[in-house]
Amino acid sequence: MKLLIQRVLSASVTVDEETVGSIGKGLLVFVGVSGEDTRETADKYLKKLLALRIFEDAAGKTNLSLADVKGELLLVSQFTLYADCRKGNRPGFFKAGAPDMARELYEYMIRQARRVVPVVECGRFGADMKVSLVNDGPFTILLDETLFS
């Protein structure tokens, strides 16, 4: 699994000119699922994501979590996080999870996040999405398989 996390002041996702997800201050998270991921993997990544202290406190230190700032969460599926560009100029995606399995894990993460985060929005799996954001910082973090190695 890979999570590309962006701290945002606002973010939204549109599909066919319809807004399907929109948040204010919080985290925009692009979710990449590999063929080896399980619900246990998703649980570990979600736990880490929600515990990250990447919002600034009154002293300007990144010391607050999403819950501490009453932030919102926008989860967007993105298989291209598994692009392999080592050979040639056309990326390969052989490590990305099969669509049915990836969709199940992505939707599972959304359900689990909604159990603890008051505002959780999402993109539409497999759709051609347009993502808009105002990055706060900018502040971007990649959580990948090295996280639990």
Side-chain angles (χ1 to χ4, degrees):
M1 184 162 281
K2 292 184 182 186
L3 302 183
L4 182 66
I5 304 160
Q6 299 200 34
R7 188 178 73 188
V8 298
L9 297 175
S10 63
S12 64
V13 179
T14 59
V15 176
D16 297 328
E17 298 183 27
E18 171 195 356
T19 300
V20 297
S22 179
I23 64 168
K25 180 178 182 175
L27 298 175
L28 165 61
V29 181
F30 294 100
V31 179
V33 177
S34 81
E36 299 174 4
D37 292 329
T38 64
R39 285 185 174 199
E40 180 180 88
T41 309
D43 289 339
K44 287 180 184 178
Y45 276 80
L46 189 59
K47 181 178 178 182
K48 185 67 167 183
L49 168 68
L50 298 179
L52 285 175
R53 298 184 317 171
I54 59 176
F55 292 91
E56 293 178 358
D57 62 17
K61 301 250 184 219
T62 51
N63 209 22
L64 302 175
S65 70
L66 186 67
D68 294 332
V69 299
K70 296 178 177 46
E72 301 175 350
L73 186 60
L74 175 57
L75 298 171
V76 177
S77 63
Q78 189 171 0
F79 79 95
T80 60
L81 288 173
Y82 277 95
D84 184 340
C85 299
R86 291 178 290 180
K87 293 184 180 178
N89 295 318
R90 174 185 261 170
F93 300 99
F94 59 90
K95 287 190 177 181
D100 289 344
M101 180 274 263
R103 177 192 302 267
E104 191 279 324
L105 278 180
Y106 170 65
E107 291 174 354
Y108 172 78
M109 283 189 78
I110 294 166
R111 288 191 306 274
Q112 295 303 101
R114 285 183 171 151
R115 296 174 69 186
V116 293
V117 179
V119 177
V120 177
E121 296 283 324
C122 56
R124 190 171 295 157
F125 187 91
D128 180 20
M129 296 177 277
K130 307 300 182 222
V131 179
S132 298
L133 68 137
V134 177
N135 196 313
D136 182 17
F139 202 106
T140 305
I141 293 176
L142 176 63
L143 298 182
D144 63 12
E145 49 275 348
T146 62
L147 180 63
F148 300 106
S149 303

